[in-house]
């Protein structure tokens, strides 16, 4: 239902950490990702005991909780204002404050929920949480980003 937003993301398949967007509106987003057992980062982190690195957990949270929401807000603003678009604009992560509570193992599905705190002057700030399939809190934090080039090109152009 909301997965068409994924066509606007600036990532290729090897670094795209989103499987599905289940809810998306002006106030927040929820999406999920299942960690693939053969992902490059599991090979050596840690040998014979693979665990998802914190930086990958942070990236999953940022892609769903900041980038998807930021692109949605940009597209919505363009509909309202009729502003000309520029291809290639997207939210860039500028700051995080993340706390980790559980490990994420290969094959686990995680769900990320983001609630917008504010979006003004090209800056987006969100409260983002990640839960595992047992609904246990894996990580939470505050994510901030700015809009590079302010606007993205829409599909209809």
């Amino acid at each position: 239902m909301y997965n068409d937003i994924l066509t606007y993301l600036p990532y290729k398949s090897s670094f795209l950490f989103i499987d599905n967007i289940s809810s998306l509106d002006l106030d927040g987003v929820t999406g999920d990702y299942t960690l693939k057992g053969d992902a490059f980062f599991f090979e050596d982190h840690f040998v014979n005991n693979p665990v998802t690195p914190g930086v990958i957990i942070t990236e999953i949270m940022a892609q769903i909780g900041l980038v998807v929401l930021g692109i949605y807000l940009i597209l919505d603003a363009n509909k309202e204002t009729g502003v000309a678009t520029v291809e290639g604009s997207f939210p860039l992560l500028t700051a995080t404050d993340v706390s980790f509570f559980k490990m994420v193992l290969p094959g686990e599905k995680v769900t990320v929920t983001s609630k917008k705190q504010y979006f003004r002057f090209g800056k987006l700030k969100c409260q983002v949480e990640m839960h595992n399939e047992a609904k246990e809190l894996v990580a939470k934090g505050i994510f901030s980003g700015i809009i590079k080039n302010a606007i993205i090109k829409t599909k209809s152009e």
Side-chain angles (χ1 to χ4, degrees):
M1 181 173 188
Y2 301 101
N3 287 338
D4 59 329
I5 195 85
L6 300 180
T7 62
Y8 295 104
L9 295 178
Y11 311 107
K12 298 288 185 197
S13 62
S14 65
F15 209 72
L16 178 63
F17 297 115
I18 306 168
D19 290 331
N20 182 53
I21 301 298
S22 54
S23 113
L24 180 60
D25 61 34
L26 296 176
D27 296 315
V29 61
T30 299
D32 60 71
Y33 181 71
T34 300
L35 280 293
K36 292 157 185 59
D38 62 352
F40 68 93
F41 47 83
F42 286 131
E43 185 176 334
D44 296 321
H45 193 269
F46 297 98
V47 176
N48 298 322
N49 191 25
V51 175
T52 306
V55 68
I56 299 296
I57 291 172
T58 301
E59 181 67 24
I60 295 166
M61 295 172 73
Q63 285 187 18
I64 296 172
L66 187 80
V67 177
V68 167
L69 182 57
I71 289 172
Y72 180 78
L73 293 171
I74 294 166
L75 291 172
D76 183 72
N78 288 346
K79 283 191 288 189
E80 296 298 316
T81 63
V83 174
T85 60
V86 177
E87 186 173 0
S89 297
F90 48 87
L92 296 173
L93 183 66
T94 58
T96 62
D97 180 9
V98 181
S99 297
F100 301 94
F101 303 100
K102 295 268 185 192
M103 289 189 299
V104 178
L105 303 176
E108 276 195 86
K109 180 179 179 179
V110 292
T111 300
V112 174
T113 302
S114 176
K115 293 184 182 356
K116 178 182 72 177
Q117 292 187 332
Y118 65 79
F119 178 54
R120 60 180 177 257
F121 305 115
K123 185 169 183 178
L124 175 61
K125 186 174 182 181
C126 304
Q127 172 68 44
V128 183
E129 292 186 354
M130 176 185 282
H131 291 84
N132 60 21
E133 287 183 278
K135 309 270 190 255
E136 299 169 314
L137 183 64
V138 170
K140 69 177 182 178
I142 303 292
F143 285 69
S144 298
I146 59 169
I147 306 304
K148 176 72 176 156
N149 294 332
I151 305 167
I152 64 172
K153 185 173 184 149
T154 63
K155 288 168 115 179
S156 63
E157 297 178 83

